[in-house]
Amino acid sequence: MSVLVDIGNTRIKLGHHADGVTHLVDAVAWRAAATGELGPRAALLSALEALPNAPVLVSNVGGSTPLGLLCDALAELGRAAPVTLGNPRDLHGLRCGYRERSQLGLDRWFALLGAWCRERGAAVVVDLGTAGTADLVDADGLHRGGCIFAGVETQRRALAAGTAALPASDHQADRAFADNTLDAIAAGARFAVAGAVDRMIAEAEATLGRPVARYLTGGSAEGVAALMQRDATHVPTLVMDGMLATWSAAGA
């Protein structure tokens, strides 16, 4: 059994793996001043207490601040320090296509590896969080590269910060044409990301000259998928699945 922690740019996602199944259990917004009625530290402690006392594996693209929160919370609970997984490395037939592999975010690599271990074939893997990413792997296991774009919430914040009249919006909208500004911002951001994902699927298939499997993961994946024109498989635990594949390859 393992506890899995995926530290992103905004949230710390927590899960565990037992009996061959990976479960996403909780997500703590570590940048927020408050998480519900709890602050990030208290919310993280509560989430960890609900998880088994087992080795903790970490993927971290959020930096030292959220990792410090995690280490302090584990110490407060009397649990062992986490194992932070390192730079992308070729595993299970998947080969990294970045010229400088240290520039490829660990979460992107783990999501790609998680999809590869499921598919063992050509696939485009889209992770929709603070940033959106799309990565392509061909049928031979070669990572053909990827792209990075602003996620739904990032687009909303950019509009509020970069304009004089547009407010911050946390509305949810599934119609393209809204009758008020808050819903118009919400719809614009979600439809823009959905359109970007549809286009990247088309580009992936044009690049390889054949259909590819399509995987979505990340906090915005479910909402965006509802607006896409292309079908895709939503796997919330894809990053964690890749973490486990890396850990098992190390003989742990």
Side-chain angles (χ1 to χ4, degrees):
M1 180 179 292
S2 300
V3 171
L4 303 152
V5 181
D6 172 17
I7 301 177
N9 292 299
T10 303
R11 301 187 305 160
I12 302 173
K13 284 82 71 178
L14 303 104
H16 69 93
H17 183 82
D19 300 324
V21 180
T22 305
H23 304 274
L24 181 61
V25 175
D26 208 343
V28 174
W30 65 265
R31 286 187 183 274
T35 306
E37 297 181 355
L38 303 175
R41 175 182 168 279
L44 186 56
L45 279 169
S46 178
L48 287 169
E49 286 177 331
L51 289 166
N53 187 359
V56 178
L57 309 180
V58 178
S59 165
N60 179 23
V61 300
S64 59
T65 297
L67 181 60
L69 280 171
L70 175 66
C71 291
D72 289 348
L74 288 169
E76 186 168 338
L77 294 173
R79 300 188 183 183
V83 176
T84 302
L85 301 176
N87 286 335
R89 59 192 182 94
D90 298 349
L91 287 174
H92 302 292
L94 180 67
R95 293 165 288 144
C96 181
Y98 253 35
R99 287 178 290 176
E100 297 290 337
R101 66 177 59 212
S102 61
Q103 293 182 1
L104 180 64
L106 269 180
D107 51 350
R108 287 172 64 189
W109 180 251
F110 289 141
L112 197 63
L113 183 59
W116 172 255
C117 288
R118 285 171 174 261
E119 194 68 31
R120 300 287 179 171
V124 61
V125 179
V126 180
D127 191 344
L128 298 174
T130 305
T133 61
D135 284 279
L136 176 63
V137 60
D138 65 23
D140 295 323
L142 176 62
H143 173 221
R144 301 290 287 268
C147 71
I148 304 172
F149 50 94
V152 173
E153 297 304 323
T154 301
Q155 290 196 34
R156 293 181 180 184
R157 289 196 297 269
L159 283 172
T163 62
L166 294 179
S169 170
D170 60 359
H171 283 209
Q172 299 295 322
D174 55 12
R175 291 185 302 157
F177 301 103
D179 59 5
N180 65 87
T181 296
L182 291 177
D183 283 345
I185 293 170
R190 286 181 66 196
F191 273 92
V193 172
V197 177
D198 279 329
R199 177 59 186 272
M200 292 315 299
I201 291 171
E203 290 294 322
E205 294 182 341
T207 297
L208 299 185
R210 53 159 292 176
V212 299
R214 308 147 186 179
Y215 287 92
L216 296 181
T217 194
S220 299
E222 187 172 9
V224 168
L227 305 182
M228 288 169 50
Q229 295 180 343
R230 302 287 195 106
D231 293 331
T233 302
H234 178 207
V235 184
T237 62
L238 211 52
V239 172
M240 294 178 179
D241 293 338
M243 293 167 62
L244 281 168
T246 299
W247 186 241
S248 65

